[in-house]
Amino acid sequence: MNILAQITSFDPVVTTAARVPRHSREEEHDGGPCTFASRLAGLIPLTLQDLAAIDGLIGYARPVERHTMLLDQGCVADHALVILDGFACRHKRRMSGRRQIVSFLLPGDHCDRGAVHAYPLDHAIETLTQCRVAKIPRATYLDLLGQHPRLALALQRAKLVEEAMAREWIASLGMRSSIERMAHLLCELMERLGSIGQASDGHYDLPLTQVDLADALGLSSVHVNRSIQYLRRDGLIALNRRHLQILAPRRLYELAEFEAAYLSHSPLGTGLPTGGPVAPYEPGHRAYS
């Protein structure tokens, strides 16, 4: 069981203040917890005390190399994980080694199953790029929830958003074509990265490989490449050295029938309008690939 092998030494658990290792101010702001604070503040207004508590977690941050198994499938963790920088994923793995990515973890996302519930994990969490990850001991995490109820509420809403994303991914696998799946994912990533200040005017870094995208979308790498090329030829996106630009956001949103309300757990959302309500379901219609 490999649990965040790169993160090996932490201060002993004593008082809440002493649990957080101290580092230089320069290190505290090097990819610091601002993404986590931005993520939670986008779900519920936070107080200065809440933000200070989040800032205190930076002492647990460590760099982690790409393709590191943070939590393996079946393990029981005794800590919470927060992705502060980089891309990671949750995935299910078969005995053959084949994987299905069930969600991408972006800066500001967290996993606290081990800290709150000591149940075996039914999936694995792995870094896809170089990351900065905070590994927060259970006692510290529970203290954070108990002393900052607004943070606890924000984290609860973050879980509701994660559940909503899972439903959208299931809908993509069952009802959307390969091109629509790709378009929907690119819209979702733009909204999620934009909420933490890492996407602007349709521009954001996309460090995922075609294999990563294929394992998330239920497609082959060939179909992923064809879908990207279609979106390029149609003038919807530009992709250069893993930097994506959405050239026609409204058209891309309409193609994917994308509405961003599920990402903020709000009836309003932040996405562009799709031009009207979804047409009623009619038996006999089916997705194409």
Side-chain angles (χ1 to χ4, degrees):
M1 179 171 62
N2 299 321
I3 303 178
L4 201 58
Q6 281 78 356
I7 301 179
T8 56
S9 64
F10 295 92
D11 290 351
V13 175
V14 283
T15 65
T16 301
R19 286 187 191 124
V20 182
R22 297 297 180 184
H23 298 277
S24 68
R25 178 173 298 273
E26 181 179 356
E27 183 177 351
E28 287 182 358
H29 293 280
D30 180 15
C34 59
T35 53
F36 192 38
S38 296
R39 174 82 176 95
L40 298 183
L43 298 171
I44 184 173
L46 300 179
T47 67
L48 291 177
Q49 291 79 9
D50 295 331
L51 296 175
I54 294 175
D55 192 57
L57 300 177
I58 189 59
Y60 292 111
R62 298 290 187 276
V64 182
E65 293 300 316
R66 65 194 295 262
H67 298 315
T68 296
M69 197 69 68
L70 301 177
L71 291 170
D72 208 351
Q73 189 168 310
C75 78
V76 179
D78 60 354
H79 56 271
L81 292 175
V82 177
I83 308 298
L84 299 177
D85 192 29
F87 280 51
C89 74
R90 302 178 190 266
H91 67 77
K92 300 281 288 186
R93 189 173 62 246
R94 298 190 62 179
M95 295 294 293
S96 63
R98 184 178 178 182
R99 69 176 181 175
Q100 173 69 48
I101 293 177
V102 296
S103 68
F104 289 122
L105 295 173
L106 308 184
D109 289 337
H110 78 294
C111 174
D112 67 356
R113 184 181 179 92
V116 177
H117 305 291
Y119 300 144
L121 206 64
D122 62 1
H123 60 278
I125 299 179
E126 180 183 1
T127 60
L128 297 175
T129 67
Q130 286 189 331
C131 293
R132 280 178 60 82
V133 180
K135 178 183 176 183
I136 308 167
R138 175 184 286 118
T140 301
Y141 188 74
L142 294 179
D143 278 353
L144 184 73
L145 300 185
Q147 295 178 17
H148 299 274
R150 297 188 71 82
L151 285 181
L153 178 58
L155 289 165
Q156 185 179 33
R157 289 191 177 179
K159 292 178 184 178
L160 293 176
V161 170
E162 187 175 348
E163 292 173 2
M165 283 194 293
R167 289 187 288 270
E168 283 293 333
W169 281 41
I170 292 171
S172 281
L173 292 174
M175 297 192 299
R176 294 182 178 118
S177 70
S178 58
I179 294 170
E180 291 167 343
R181 292 181 205 180
M182 180 63 68
H184 198 277
L185 178 61
L186 296 181
C187 293
E188 180 180 282
L189 290 175
M190 183 172 73
E191 290 288 335
R192 294 176 65 189
L193 291 169
S195 71
I196 56 171
Q198 295 192 10
S200 178
D201 297 326
H203 290 260
Y204 62 87
D205 290 329
L206 185 66
L208 303 173
T209 67
Q210 288 192 7
V211 172
D212 296 333
L213 294 170
D215 288 352
L217 297 174
L219 302 170
S220 68
S221 295
V222 171
H223 275 86
V224 165
N225 184 271
R226 288 176 179 171
S227 299
I228 291 174
Q229 295 307 320
Y230 175 90
L231 296 176
R232 276 174 156 167
R233 288 194 303 270
D234 205 33
L236 297 174
I237 68 168
L239 182 62
N240 183 28
R241 296 183 179 180
R242 299 191 177 180
H243 180 84
L244 184 82
Q245 180 182 6
I246 296 181
L247 302 172
R250 185 177 296 276
R251 289 176 56 209
L252 191 69
Y253 278 48
E254 290 175 348
L255 170 64
E257 294 183 357
F258 182 82
E259 297 190 40
Y262 71 98
L263 294 174
S264 59
H265 196 56
S266 161
L268 297 178
T270 58
L272 296 173
T274 58
V278 177
Y281 169 74
E282 296 182 15
H285 290 188
R286 57 178 297 177
Y288 60 93
S289 60

